[in-house]
Short mmCIF file of all heavy atoms in Angstrom, two decimals:
data_model
loop_
_atom_site.label_atom_id
_atom_site.label_comp_id
_atom_site.label_asym_id
_atom_site.label_seq_id
_atom_site.Cartn_x
_atom_site.Cartn_y
_atom_site.Cartn_z
N THR A 1467 145.69 -26.02 -40.91
CA THR A 1467 146.00 -24.60 -40.87
C THR A 1467 144.71 -23.79 -40.91
O THR A 1467 143.88 -23.99 -41.79
CB THR A 1467 146.88 -24.20 -42.06
OG1 THR A 1467 148.05 -25.00 -42.04
CG2 THR A 1467 147.25 -22.74 -42.01
N THR A 1470 141.32 -18.54 -41.59
CA THR A 1470 140.33 -17.50 -41.31
C THR A 1470 140.99 -16.36 -40.55
O THR A 1470 141.59 -16.58 -39.51
CB THR A 1470 139.17 -18.07 -40.46
OG1 THR A 1470 138.64 -19.20 -41.11
CG2 THR A 1470 138.09 -17.03 -40.24
N GLU A 1484 128.68 11.06 -29.83
CA GLU A 1484 128.93 10.82 -28.41
C GLU A 1484 128.24 11.88 -27.56
O GLU A 1484 128.19 13.04 -27.93
CB GLU A 1484 130.42 10.89 -28.11
CG GLU A 1484 131.26 9.90 -28.87
CD GLU A 1484 132.74 10.09 -28.61
OE1 GLU A 1484 133.15 9.92 -27.45
OE2 GLU A 1484 133.46 10.42 -29.56
N THR A 1488 129.26 15.40 -17.82
CA THR A 1488 130.50 15.56 -17.06
C THR A 1488 130.30 15.48 -15.55
O THR A 1488 131.26 15.22 -14.82
CB THR A 1488 131.18 16.90 -17.40
OG1 THR A 1488 130.26 17.96 -17.16
CG2 THR A 1488 131.61 16.92 -18.86
N TYR A 1497 128.46 3.99 -32.71
CA TYR A 1497 129.60 3.64 -33.55
C TYR A 1497 129.13 3.43 -34.98
O TYR A 1497 128.00 2.99 -35.22
CB TYR A 1497 130.27 2.37 -33.03
CG TYR A 1497 130.86 2.54 -31.66
CD1 TYR A 1497 130.15 2.18 -30.53
CD2 TYR A 1497 132.13 3.08 -31.50
CE1 TYR A 1497 130.69 2.35 -29.26
CE2 TYR A 1497 132.68 3.26 -30.24
CZ TYR A 1497 131.95 2.88 -29.13
OH TYR A 1497 132.49 3.06 -27.88
N ASP A 1504 125.90 -5.62 -43.66
CA ASP A 1504 125.27 -5.06 -44.85
C ASP A 1504 123.92 -4.41 -44.56
O ASP A 1504 123.34 -3.77 -45.42
CB ASP A 1504 125.15 -6.11 -45.95
CG ASP A 1504 124.33 -7.33 -45.53
OD1 ASP A 1504 124.01 -7.45 -44.33
OD2 ASP A 1504 124.02 -8.16 -46.41
N ILE A 1520 132.78 3.09 -12.33
CA ILE A 1520 132.26 2.89 -13.68
C ILE A 1520 131.61 1.52 -13.79
O ILE A 1520 132.19 0.51 -13.39
CB ILE A 1520 133.38 3.02 -14.72
CG1 ILE A 1520 133.90 4.46 -14.73
CG2 ILE A 1520 132.90 2.63 -16.11
CD1 ILE A 1520 135.03 4.70 -15.67
N ASP A 1531 116.74 2.37 -39.16
CA ASP A 1531 115.44 3.03 -39.08
C ASP A 1531 115.10 3.48 -37.66
O ASP A 1531 114.25 4.34 -37.47
CB ASP A 1531 114.33 2.10 -39.57
CG ASP A 1531 114.45 1.79 -41.05
OD1 ASP A 1531 115.10 2.58 -41.78
OD2 ASP A 1531 113.94 0.74 -41.48
N THR A 1538 117.67 9.82 -29.44
CA THR A 1538 116.90 10.90 -28.81
C THR A 1538 116.45 10.49 -27.42
O THR A 1538 116.55 11.26 -26.47
CB THR A 1538 115.69 11.28 -29.69
OG1 THR A 1538 116.18 11.72 -30.97
CG2 THR A 1538 114.87 12.38 -29.05
N ARG A 1543 117.13 11.13 -21.60
CA ARG A 1543 117.30 10.56 -20.25
C ARG A 1543 118.53 11.14 -19.57
O ARG A 1543 118.52 11.42 -18.39
CB ARG A 1543 117.40 9.04 -20.32
CG ARG A 1543 116.07 8.39 -20.65
CD ARG A 1543 116.14 6.92 -20.51
NE ARG A 1543 116.21 6.62 -19.07
CZ ARG A 1543 116.16 5.42 -18.57
NH1 ARG A 1543 116.07 4.39 -19.38
NH2 ARG A 1543 116.21 5.22 -17.27
N GLY A 1547 117.66 13.28 -16.41
CA GLY A 1547 117.92 12.50 -15.22
C GLY A 1547 118.76 13.21 -14.18
O GLY A 1547 118.42 13.23 -13.00
N ALA A 1553 125.34 17.85 -20.01
CA ALA A 1553 125.47 16.90 -21.11
C ALA A 1553 126.09 17.59 -22.32
O ALA A 1553 125.59 18.60 -22.80
CB ALA A 1553 124.11 16.32 -21.48
N GLN A 1567 119.08 14.82 -37.76
CA GLN A 1567 118.02 14.29 -36.92
C GLN A 1567 118.43 13.99 -35.49
O GLN A 1567 117.57 13.91 -34.62
CB GLN A 1567 117.46 13.02 -37.56
CG GLN A 1567 116.78 13.27 -38.89
CD GLN A 1567 116.36 11.98 -39.56
OE1 GLN A 1567 116.13 10.98 -38.89
NE2 GLN A 1567 116.25 12.01 -40.86
N ARG A 1570 121.21 17.53 -30.40
CA ARG A 1570 122.48 18.21 -30.15
C ARG A 1570 122.48 18.79 -28.77
O ARG A 1570 121.59 19.15 -28.17
CB ARG A 1570 122.70 19.30 -31.17
CG ARG A 1570 122.90 18.71 -32.54
CD ARG A 1570 123.16 19.82 -33.53
NE ARG A 1570 123.19 19.26 -34.85
CZ ARG A 1570 124.22 19.36 -35.64
NH1 ARG A 1570 125.26 20.03 -35.29
NH2 ARG A 1570 124.19 18.82 -36.81
#
Side-chain angles (χ1 to χ4, degrees):
T1467 303
T1470 306
E1484 301 176 63
T1488 56
Y1497 296 95
D1504 59 350
I1520 295 178
D1531 294 338
T1538 300
R1543 288 188 72 173
Q1567 296 175 25
R1570 293 181 187 238

